[in-house]
Every structure is written in C-alpha cells, then in structure tokens.
C-alpha cells in the first residue's frame, strides 16, 4: 500500500481538540505531532493593546466572530496569549494539574489593588485554602436565602414609596435599612 502524506496545514488553522480528551491540559508528550497555533488577531501590538484595554469584551467578541472560539493576540508582557471560549478548553484548564497548566494569577495586574493574599492572586495550596473559606456563602442554599432577603427588602422599600408626585430616587437606592 503506498504511503499517503498529508499536505502541511496552513499556519493559521486552529488546533483541533477532538484528538485529546478535555482533561489533557498541559505540555504535549514528546512523541506528539507538532501543535498548530490558532489564528492570530492581525493588528499592530499598540492598536491591540489600546482596543483591548478600552473595550475588552468588544475586542474579544469581535476576534471570536472573525477567528473562532480559539485565537491568539499579543499579550501584555510581549508574548502571544491564546484566548479560548470553548467550554471543553475551559474545563480542561480549570481541572488540570497546576504543574501541567500553571496560572499567571500570581502575576495578575490586580495584585497591587487586591493584595498578595487575595484569592484572586494566590496560587497553589494557599489559593485552595482561601477558596474553601469563601465557598459557603456562594452555595445554593445561601444564595437562595440572599435572594429571599433582597426580595423582602425590595418589597418593604416599594411599600414606602409615595403615590403620585415626585420623589428623589438616588437617596432611596443608596440607603441601607435594617427593618
């Protein structure tokens, strides 16, 4: 049987994810085929930086519409950044061994704002410890209680609104009440 060789893929063809399970985040094995990079945003670095910093969501959604769920852009420190919105990719990254898929969270630009001990900037075991402390208020039962409390507070406030005439809304919306 004659050998069949595939033509090399163009450099802008996105990587197909079907070949590896979603849990396969991390470096590719040494015997793996070369990984093709996803398509890149084709704008000068300075223009990308301005557009991304001024209207981040618009920039990312526009790039996604043009290039697909996975694309590259210039990163803030000079290296390319791969952006993905594919659920399997996100699941793979969030469940990967931190040794295989390290996070840049510790180098986050939020660090000077939220501090080095914030769950937003911690990595590794200390991040997990802080995260476990924060989880209970976000469980379903707690959120249901908050929803009920907010609904009751809104109903109490609405009952106090004057009928007819004019009213100043800003002070009412900013007021904190415990009735």
């Amino acid at each position: 049987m004659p050998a069949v060789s595939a033509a090399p893929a163009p450099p802008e063809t996105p990587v197909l994810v079907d070949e590896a399970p979603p849990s396969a985040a991390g470096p590719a094995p040494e015997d793996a085929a070369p990984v093709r990079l996803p398509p890149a945003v084709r704008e000068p670095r300075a223009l990308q930086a301005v557009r991304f910093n001024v209207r981040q969501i618009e920039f990312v959604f526009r790039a996604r519409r043009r290039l697909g769920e996975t694309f590259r852009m210039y990163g803030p420190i000079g290296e390319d950044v791969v952006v993905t919105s594919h659920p399997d990719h996100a699941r793979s990254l969030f469940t990967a061994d931190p040794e295989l898929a390290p996070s840049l969270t510790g180098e986050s630009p939020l660090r000077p704002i939220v501090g080095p001990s914030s769950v937003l900037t911690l990595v590794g075991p200390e991040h997990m410890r802080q995260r476990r402390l924060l989880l209970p208020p976000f469980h379903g039962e707690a959120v249901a209680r908050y929803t009920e409390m907010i609904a009751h507070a809104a109903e109490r406030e609405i009952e106090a609104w004057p009928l007819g005439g004019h009213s100043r809304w800003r002070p009412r919306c900013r007021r904190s009440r415990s009735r």
Side-chain angles (χ1 to χ4, degrees):
M1 173 179 266
V4 177
S5 62
E12 295 305 319
T13 303
V15 176
L16 298 176
V17 197
D18 299 340
E19 300 167 11
S23 61
E30 288 185 26
D31 61 346
V35 175
R36 290 176 284 156
L37 293 173
V41 174
R42 296 284 179 211
E43 293 176 344
R45 182 182 302 274
L47 183 59
Q48 276 190 45
V50 169
R51 286 187 173 163
F52 182 78
N53 287 316
V54 172
R55 299 207 172 181
Q56 188 176 56
I57 299 297
E58 183 180 299
F59 177 89
V60 171
F61 281 1
R62 191 172 120 241
R64 182 177 187 261
R65 277 192 308 273
R66 282 189 356 218
L67 303 170
E69 291 179 319
T70 305
F71 61 89
R72 283 180 297 140
M73 60 177 275
Y74 288 119
I77 55 174
E79 296 181 9
D80 277 3
V81 173
V82 175
V83 178
T84 183
S85 60
H86 192 286
D88 290 342
H89 297 171
R91 186 178 309 108
S92 173
L93 289 170
F94 281 115
T95 58
D97 180 346
E99 299 297 320
L100 297 177
S103 169
L104 293 177
T105 303
E107 301 168 25
S108 169
L110 291 175
R111 194 176 187 91
I113 299 165
V114 298
S117 299
S118 169
V119 75
L120 298 175
T121 58
L122 286 171
V123 293
E126 186 58 23
H127 167 80
M128 290 308 294
R129 189 182 80 71
Q130 291 286 347
R131 186 173 162 200
R132 278 190 208 102
L133 292 173
L134 290 173
L135 280 179
F138 296 102
H139 281 255
E141 292 175 15
V143 172
R145 285 194 306 272
Y146 301 147
T147 303
E148 190 175 318
M149 289 169 47
I150 292 168
H152 288 306
E155 288 169 8
R156 283 193 313 263
E157 182 60 35
I158 291 170
E159 287 173 8
W161 289 355
L163 296 176
H166 298 282
S167 182
R168 296 192 181 271
W169 294 104
R170 184 174 179 177
R172 288 181 178 280
C173 292
R174 295 181 59 130
R175 180 174 43 229
S176 171
R177 283 193 183 171
S178 55
R179 287 189 200 174

